[in-house]
């Protein structure tokens, strides 16, 4: 369907692709992977014709439709969410718009003399609209929006009044409703809660066209893709299988390449030692020359490319008492909406609570109450006297001073720490070399999240309260975070829509439901086994 043949592309000084080739065939579900800045978005843009390769060719099969979802959402103000989604449905939405215009014209007395032509055109358009199942379009649009977490009220409200994350969902809904022959999805799992993520997973499993997508959610990708295309060093390499199989194959391939490299290095060292030892002896001249010629002809094995990995180790945190946080008889409302009525809950030392609940259940409110960022209307919230808390919330990223560099921002928080420890900390969280001098205002969402996390973890807390800590983080940084937190000796309370993060780190689950709270001993994996669903809003 879409073929890239020997493409080369340069962005500024960066060579993005060098004679790279790949294909996307009908029915394939492909995960596109590679380090940040490798050229994933550039590849999407070349496939849609928004950019051209410097050399080589991108060929798209005649007549196929392509739907492209990117993180760059246009302005949809003035439209309802339903109308904005229907607007992306191709010819059907154009016919719907013309039908609406013709209906208005038929009721306009000033156009009475055109009525015969208007009625004739209305019949033609209506016939074509029915052929394309247009009258089901509104229902299909609402079904997609419902799956993406919209209430009926939000569906009919102005998109312009929605937050950036909800606008992203509308833009994604347009592509899903369109059901093109090929779908290109750049990070579709961003901004989705767990229920919406699982709905999208099922939708894409049932989609019969070609799919190429990026995602920082390894579990989501694992369940959908049957092929991986990797961008690395300007080349495109295809691997059959899911993301987990690709990781295993890559690790095995790197191990083999390293062993081959080491064998050759040992052989070369031996030959060079012989040459150095005997080069001055006339009796060995022929042997030395023979070995020099042999070395000149050898194809040198390159060592495997090492992906930059970040590692962070917690410094030992001061031990807390057994009772870390206690809520008694807590009431909390926002206006006429009651969130909690008489809530009792306790976090004890070394417990790691994953908080589950549908949108609006009060997950973030619970974290704010425990962190002291919100006050209860009634009841008490108490933290133990020796508790030292680290609180990660999405709004913390908005509080970074845009005029300060990454390093200055760390220095502001830890003026006594000294340069070397702060540079080491920045390196652990992916800010190496010149990146430490970046101004906070130009940082991406992922970079801001990493900086806030670095500040939170440098002076080790013994109680972590984390609200969606993996939003914006790439797979490598998530892995680092999971590895680091698995060694953490304190208590944790967190909300996440990343199932790998939930399964790896929780040993308790708190489920918030309309009929009260339910607690589960054992972590997320046990919760799924006991309830039969992966999120509270789903029933299976």
């Amino acid at each position: 369907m879409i073929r890239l043949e020997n493409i080369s592309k340069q962005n500024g000084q960066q060579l993005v692709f060098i004679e790279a080739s790949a294909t996307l065939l009908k029915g394939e579900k492909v995960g596109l992977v590679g380090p940040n800045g490798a050229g994933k978005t550039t590849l999407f843009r070349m496939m849609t014709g928004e950019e051209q390769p410097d050399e080589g060719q991108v060929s798209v099969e005649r007549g196929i439709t392509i739907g492209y979802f990117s993180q760059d959402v246009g302005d949809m103000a003035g439209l309802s969410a339903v109308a904005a989604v229907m607007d992306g449905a191709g010819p059907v939405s154009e016919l719907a718009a013309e039908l609406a215009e013709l209906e208005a014209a038929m009721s306009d007395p000033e156009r009475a003399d055109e009525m015969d032509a208007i009625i004739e055109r209305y019949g033609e358009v209506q016939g074509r609209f029915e052929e394309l199942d247009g009258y089901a379009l509104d229902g299909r649009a609402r079904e997609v929006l419902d799956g993406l977490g919209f209430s009926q009220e939000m569906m009919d409200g102005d998109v312009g009044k929605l937050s950036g994350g909800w606008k992203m969902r509308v833009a994604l809904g347009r592509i899903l409703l369109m059901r093109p022959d090929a779908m290109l999805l750049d990070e579709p799992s961003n901004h989705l809660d767990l229920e919406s993520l699982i709905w999208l997973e099922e939708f894409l499993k049932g989609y019969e066209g070609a799919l190429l997508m990026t995602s920082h959610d390894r579990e989501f990708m694992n369940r959908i893709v049957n092929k991986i295309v990797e961008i690395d060093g300007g080349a495109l390499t295809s691997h059959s299988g899911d993301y987990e199989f690709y990781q295993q194959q890559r690790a095995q391939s790197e191990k083999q390449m390293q062993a081959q490299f080491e064998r050759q290095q040992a052989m070369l060292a031996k030959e060079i030692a012989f040459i150095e030892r005997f080069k001055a002896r006339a009796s060995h001249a022929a042997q030395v020359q023979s070995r020099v010629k042999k070395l000149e002809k050898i194809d040198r094995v390159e060592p495997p490319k090492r992906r930059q990995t970040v590692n962070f180790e917690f410094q030992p945190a001061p031990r807390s008492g057994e009772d870390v946080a206690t809520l008694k008889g807590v009431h909390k409302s926002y206006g006429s909406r009651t969130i909690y009525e008489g809530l009792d809950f306790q976090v004890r030392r070394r417990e790691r609570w994953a908080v589950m609940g549908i949108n609006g259940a009060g997950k973030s409110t619970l974290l704010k109450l425990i962190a002291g960022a919100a006050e209860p209307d009634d009841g008490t919230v108490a933290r133990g006297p020796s508790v030292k808390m680290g609180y990660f919330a999405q709004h913390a990223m908005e509080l970074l001073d845009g005029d300060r560099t990454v390093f200055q921002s760390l220095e502001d928080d830890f003026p006594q720490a000294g340069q070397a420890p702060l540079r080491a900390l920045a390196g652990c969280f992916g800010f190496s070399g010149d990146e430490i001098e970046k101004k906070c205002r130009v940082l991406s969402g992922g970079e801001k999240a990493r900086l806030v996390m670095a500040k939170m973890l440098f002076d080790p807390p013994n109680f972590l309260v984390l609200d969606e800590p993996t939003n914006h983080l790439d797979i490598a940084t998530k892995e680092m975070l999971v590895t680091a937190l698995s060694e953490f000796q304190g208590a944790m309370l967190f909300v996440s829509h990343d199932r790998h993060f939930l399964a790896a780190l929780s040993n308790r689950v708190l489920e918030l439901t309309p009929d009260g709270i339910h607690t589960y001993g054992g972590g997320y994996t046990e919760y799924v086994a006991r309830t039969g669903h992966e999120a509270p809003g789903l029933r299976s």
Side-chain angles (χ1 to χ4, degrees), residues 472-491:
H472 308 291
L473 297 184
D474 60 25
I475 289 177
T477 310
K478 281 186 192 180
E479 286 297 329
M480 178 275 284
L481 191 61
V482 167
T483 302
L485 292 177
S486 64
E487 300 296 319
F488 176 62
Q489 296 297 304

Side-chain angles (χ1 to χ4, degrees), residues 5 53 69 76 104 113 126 131 142 148 191 231 294 318 324 441 463 515 518-519 523 540:
E5 298 174 277
F69 169 75
M76 295 174 273
D113 54 341
Q126 189 178 42
E131 274 176 39
R142 288 178 187 276
L148 293 175
H191 305 287
I231 305 178
K294 179 183 166 186
V324 174
R441 74 158 59 87
F463 179 35
D515 61 338
H518 303 286
T519 59
S540 54

Side-chain angles (χ1 to χ4, degrees), residues 268 271-279 284-298 300:
L268 291 172
E271 294 295 317
I272 290 165
F274 180 90
I275 292 164
E276 288 298 318
R277 186 177 173 190
F278 295 111
K279 66 182 177 185
H284 288 73
Q287 285 174 285
V288 167
Q289 282 304 311
S290 169
R291 295 194 182 205
V292 167
K293 284 178 182 173
K294 179 183 166 186
L295 288 187
E296 285 171 354
K297 289 177 183 174
I298 284 176
R300 299 295 172 108

Side-chain angles (χ1 to χ4, degrees), residues 129-147:
F129 189 67
E130 284 175 352
E131 274 176 39
L132 293 173
D133 202 20
Y135 285 109
L137 191 63
D138 181 89
R140 281 169 47 217
R142 288 178 187 276
E143 194 179 319
V144 166
L145 286 170
D146 179 63

